[in-house]
C-alpha cells in the first residue's frame, strides 16, 4: 500500500494504538513533535500511524543523543 493510500485515523484512534491519552497526542502535535497527515476544515487532526511512529522514534533518538 502506497503512503498516500494508508488509511487516515483520528486522534482518538491514534492515541488508543499508541497507548496514550488523546490529549497527549494533541499536546505532541501542538508542540510540533508529531505532524498530522491532514487537518480537517473543522480543525481535527488525521494521522498515518506509521508516520507518527517514525516521528516518535526519531524524536526519542534525538533526545538520547542530546542526553549523552
Amino acid at each position: 500500500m502506497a503512503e498516500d493510500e494508508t488509511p487516515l485515523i483520528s486522534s482518538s484512534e491514534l492515541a488508543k494504538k499508541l497507548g496514550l491519552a488523546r490529549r497527549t497526542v494533541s499536546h505532541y502535535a501542538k508542540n510540533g513533535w508529531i505532524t498530522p497527515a491532514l487537518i480537517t476544515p473543522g480543525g481535527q487532526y488525521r494521522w498515518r500511524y506509521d508516520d507518527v511512529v517514525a516521528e516518535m522514534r526519531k524524536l526519542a533518538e534525538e533526545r538520547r543523543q542530546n542526553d549523552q
Side-chain angles (χ1 to χ4, degrees):
M1 187 178 283
E3 182 180 21
D4 59 351
E5 295 176 14
T6 304
L8 297 177
I9 59 175
S10 69
S11 294
S12 295
E13 291 170 303
L14 178 66
K16 185 176 181 179
K17 286 183 126 185
L18 294 174
L20 300 172
R22 188 200 53 77
R23 291 186 69 184
T24 302
V25 170
S26 295
H27 176 74
Y28 287 4
K30 287 179 183 172
N31 282 299
W33 299 335
I34 58 176
T35 308
L38 174 75
I39 302 175
T40 68
Q44 297 179 351
Y45 298 143
R46 295 294 181 260
W47 307 92
R48 286 195 175 89
Y49 176 75
D50 292 338
D51 291 349
V52 172
V53 169
E55 286 181 313
M56 291 181 75
R57 284 185 179 143
K58 182 179 177 186
L59 180 63
E61 182 59 33
E62 289 171 357
R63 288 184 176 175
R64 274 189 227 105
Q65 289 176 355
N66 289 336
D67 288 343
Q68 293 179 358

